[in-house]
Amino acid sequence: MYRRIVPGLCGVALLTAGALTLPNVNLPGGSVATAASRTAVAPAAKSAAEITAAAGATTPFVTVEAETGTLGGGARVRAIAPGATAPTGPTLEGEASGYSLVELKANGDSVTLPNNTGKAANTLVVRASIPDAPAGGGIDASLNLYVNGTFRQAIQLSSRQAWNYRNSTTTQDDPHGGGQAYRFYNEFPVWVTGAPIAAGSTIKLQKDSGNTAAVYDVDSVDLENVGPALTQPANSISVVSNGADPNFSKDSTVAIQTTVDAARTQKKSVWIPAGKYLTNSLVSKALDFTGVKVQGAGMWYTTLYRKAPLKPGTWHSQLTVGTGTTLTDFQVDTNAIWRGNDGTGGGDYGINSGGTGWLIDHVWTRHTDANWLSGTNGVVQNSRTADSYGDGFNINNANTPNPEKLGQNITVKNCFARNTGDDGFATYSDAGASGTNGQVTGAKILNNTAIAPWWANGIRIAGGKNVEVRNNLVNSASSNNALEISVYGDTGRPLESAAITGNVLNGGGGWNGLRTGVNIGSPGPTSLYPTAPTTVDMSDNVIHGSLTSGLRISGPRVNLTFTNNTIDRPAKQGVWVAKGVTGTATFTGNTVKNLFPGQVAQQNDSPTTFKITTN
């Protein structure tokens, strides 16, 4: 397994000369310290380098950022420069990982990237954007792949599941409905034709005469050496034996459900062999895998593909997980084009869980809405989600008092989310209008990676008790914050306690209003809990390269312990306490460095009501 390394934390665009220096800065409390005195007085429990090395998911692929490659022809890098004014609306740069991309516009434009993984790569995932069709709906176009300078194959790209238009008066797919364009990118998994790309070789993506898109904006490439397909386990029933079609020519919904029901009765597992299975039966009930282990041949080999009718109705395409369920080693993909289950966009949850003791392992969801995680003692691990229309992985109580949906002791660990249409990872504790929904407790978000969400936050903690967010990596939130710590709306339960430690939080401070690297808020005056504080302990985190302030405390009631954190190169203040905040904070051993001219380490606009004690 590889640990996915994002070069330069948040990409080349956010690291410049001097980023490793420790200039004199104003510390909380108004004192000024040199690098030497800060080291002597308040040494960090862990160095920023140690925290960075431990953060994020360990994945079987390595990502190479396009902007680190060698450019050919008239190719150019487009990036948000460090300290530049943050975008006021969605941009290709803002939605790119590292806020940087390579533009290929003319024939002969190219970018060459090395395979430095130490292994041969037989698959790629190219993250790129091509233009929408003039009337909406997207286009298809190829981009040529060369290995060591020799043409290997044409990679097929599309914008049919990109380019949504926010607040359009017609549909979200209509560029003429007065909406704001966003969701520019998509991921394109590719099996490499011919021999695998050997370690030390180069790959080149080049626009040639047969590549007909007007422009190709290349963000990154994943390189992976995928092993052989898994084989059928003992004591299992194959879905093919009940009529499921791995060749994608007829619907397999009923055959899959029949197999699951039989396996449940016979106390066997379900086997889904390699293939692509069409699931577009217009039944009103989602596939229900409760109480059964369902295994595919691997997430690169077995795909359940939802071809939604793209019209209003009661049709559901999500996978239902209940007590005692295990899902492993397959992919879920869909033809959805915007958010909204039961609607014309075709979006629906990826996985919808409840009950107790369930496990989701090595599952890859694409073009779905959120993976909606309710219940008790459930685990999601080693999984991926991409190009979603909602959250990547959301731990919640399903907005209901149902005891099957409590949201207790759910763990999401070692998962990877990129280009999510809401928070990459989230907890969501909602009391409901009557206040009868229970508090989400014991949620754990551990060693995950959230890359370039096109909407909302990298990670959002929206209420809960005994929440743990540890050793995660966030890179390049486009619209909101790298990390939001607060509640959700007026019915959101308070955040009673959370430990946020060992995370690397790059970027944030996007275009959607007043956003920062990290924001800490609490219930407002119209909330069901108008006097409840947010209580949080943050330690050993690296907050790097925010497009605005590093840490904003927006309140109105916050109790914060802030220990051994590093705030590096924010475009504005290091720490900003907004007006009207009440509560207390204890700051111990923190470092604010690489401030831009005219910026301060701390700005407290509530000095009489929010007291900061500095150790």
Side-chain angles (χ1 to χ4, degrees), residues 477-490:
S478 173
S479 65
N480 288 16
N481 314 292
L483 172 63
E484 169 76 14
I485 305 168
S486 58
V487 298
Y488 190 92
D490 285 347

Side-chain angles (χ1 to χ4, degrees), residues 366-579:
R366 304 176 59 227
H367 305 112
T368 70
D369 204 310
N371 291 299
W372 194 247
L373 309 173
S374 310
T376 302
N377 297 326
V379 176
V380 183
Q381 63 186 19
N382 310 316
S383 294
R384 311 180 196 178
T385 193
D387 301 329
S388 71
Y389 299 98
D391 300 308
F393 300 91
N394 186 309
I395 300 171
N396 60 79
N397 59 13
N399 307 350
T400 175
N402 185 340
E404 291 290 303
K405 300 279 190 175
L406 293 177
Q408 295 184 352
N409 302 318
I410 296 175
T411 299
V412 179
K413 61 183 180 180
N414 203 55
C415 293
F416 182 90
R418 185 165 52 197
N419 202 37
T420 54
D422 216 316
D423 307 311
F425 298 86
T427 66
Y428 173 31
S429 187
D430 178 63
S434 62
T436 57
N437 303 342
Q439 175 73 294
V440 171
T441 62
K444 292 181 173 59
I445 300 174
L446 312 175
N447 286 97
N448 302 291
T449 297
I451 304 294
W454 56 273
W455 178 248
N457 310 281
I459 299 174
R460 180 169 191 176
I461 309 306
K465 181 178 180 179
N466 297 331
V467 177
E468 183 180 358
V469 180
R470 174 164 49 86
N471 293 359
N472 301 285
L473 170 65
V474 173
N475 188 10
S476 312
S478 173
S479 65
N480 288 16
N481 314 292
L483 172 63
E484 169 76 14
I485 305 168
S486 58
V487 298
Y488 190 92
D490 285 347
T491 60
R493 284 193 174 274
L495 182 59
E496 297 182 46
S497 54
I500 316 292
T501 183
N503 303 284
V504 175
L505 306 165
N506 297 312
W511 55 267
N512 184 34
L514 181 55
R515 305 293 176 171
T516 56
V518 177
N519 180 68
I520 304 177
S522 64
T526 58
S527 166
L528 294 178
Y529 309 94
T531 63
T534 287
T535 301
V536 59
D537 186 336
M538 294 188 68
S539 63
D540 294 305
N541 301 285
V542 175
I543 303 168
H544 175 269
S546 170
L547 301 177
T548 55
S549 303
L551 167 66
R552 178 175 180 246
I553 302 171
S554 60
R557 288 162 300 280
V558 173
N559 296 322
L560 170 65
T561 303
F562 198 66
T563 306
N564 294 319
N565 300 284
T566 298
I567 300 176
D568 180 20
R569 208 168 179 76
K572 294 186 177 180
Q573 311 96 323
V575 177
W576 176 25
V577 182
K579 291 181 180 180

Side-chain angles (χ1 to χ4, degrees), residues 212-419:
T212 56
V215 61
Y216 296 80
D217 294 301
V218 182
D219 181 38
S220 62
V221 179
D222 301 340
L223 297 97
E224 181 176 354
N225 186 39
V226 176
L230 301 175
T231 57
Q232 182 172 357
N235 201 37
S236 65
I237 306 173
S238 172
V239 296
V240 174
S241 69
N242 283 301
D245 176 20
N247 299 312
F248 201 61
S249 60
K250 66 177 183 178
D251 182 72
S252 296
T253 309
V254 174
I256 292 172
Q257 188 65 63
T258 298
T259 308
V260 170
D261 295 343
R264 188 183 298 116
T265 299
Q266 299 175 35
K267 300 188 183 304
K268 294 183 177 181
S269 66
V270 171
W271 167 244
I272 309 179
K276 186 176 182 180
Y277 298 82
L278 179 62
T279 56
N280 71 337
S281 174
L282 296 180
V283 295
S284 61
K285 184 179 180 181
L287 283 170
D288 188 347
F289 291 167
T290 296
V292 175
K293 179 178 180 179
V294 179
Q295 180 178 345
M299 61 174 66
W300 278 89
Y301 293 99
T302 297
T303 299
L304 302 182
Y305 190 90
R306 306 171 180 169
K307 193 173 182 180
L310 303 184
K311 62 182 180 181
T314 58
W315 186 85
H316 285 279
S317 58
Q318 61 197 247
L319 302 183
T320 300
V321 167
T323 296
T325 308
T326 296
L327 304 184
T328 184
D329 297 302
F330 62 88
Q331 179 183 146
V332 177
D333 197 4
T334 85
N335 68 330
I337 54 177
W338 67 74
R339 190 172 189 172
N341 55 330
D342 289 347
T344 55
D348 201 348
Y349 290 145
I351 294 167
N352 190 351
S353 70
T356 63
W358 47 263
L359 172 66
I360 300 163
D361 189 17
H362 288 96
V363 174
W364 189 0
T365 56
R366 304 176 59 227
H367 305 112
T368 70
D369 204 310
N371 291 299
W372 194 247
L373 309 173
S374 310
T376 302
N377 297 326
V379 176
V380 183
Q381 63 186 19
N382 310 316
S383 294
R384 311 180 196 178
T385 193
D387 301 329
S388 71
Y389 299 98
D391 300 308
F393 300 91
N394 186 309
I395 300 171
N396 60 79
N397 59 13
N399 307 350
T400 175
N402 185 340
E404 291 290 303
K405 300 279 190 175
L406 293 177
Q408 295 184 352
N409 302 318
I410 296 175
T411 299
V412 179
K413 61 183 180 180
N414 203 55
C415 293
F416 182 90
R418 185 165 52 197
N419 202 37

Side-chain angles (χ1 to χ4, degrees), residues 54-216:
T58 299
T59 65
F61 57 88
V62 171
T63 299
V64 182
E65 297 290 339
E67 65 270 16
T68 67
T70 301
L71 305 184
R76 65 171 181 143
V77 172
R78 292 176 50 179
I80 299 175
T85 302
T88 57
T91 65
L92 283 156
E93 295 90 338
E95 289 191 13
S97 57
Y99 298 135
S100 187
L101 62 110
V102 170
E103 180 185 83
L104 311 178
K105 203 165 188 178
N107 291 342
D109 288 359
S110 67
V111 58
T112 299
L113 304 168
N115 176 8
N116 288 335
T117 65
K119 293 185 178 182
N122 58 5
T123 66
L124 306 174
V125 176
V126 178
R127 184 171 192 256
S129 174
I130 60 175
D132 196 4
I139 64 171
D140 301 316
S142 62
L143 181 62
N144 285 345
L145 170 66
Y146 293 76
V147 177
N148 292 330
T150 301
F151 175 78
R152 179 64 68 88
Q153 68 194 90
I155 296 172
Q156 300 303 314
L157 309 182
S158 176
S159 57
R160 295 185 184 277
Q161 292 180 286
W163 291 89
N164 287 168
Y165 298 89
R166 186 170 182 252
N167 297 325
S168 170
T169 58
T170 54
T171 74
Q172 295 181 47
D173 206 32
D174 182 6
H176 304 294
Q180 184 179 49
Y182 63 170
R183 186 185 165 83
F184 303 116
Y185 291 90
N186 214 325
E187 296 192 0
F188 303 96
V190 177
W191 280 98
V192 175
T193 300
I197 301 167
S201 298
T202 61
I203 62 172
K204 179 170 66 173
L205 298 174
Q206 180 168 299
K207 174 175 165 53
D208 293 324
S209 60
N211 307 136
T212 56
V215 61
Y216 296 80

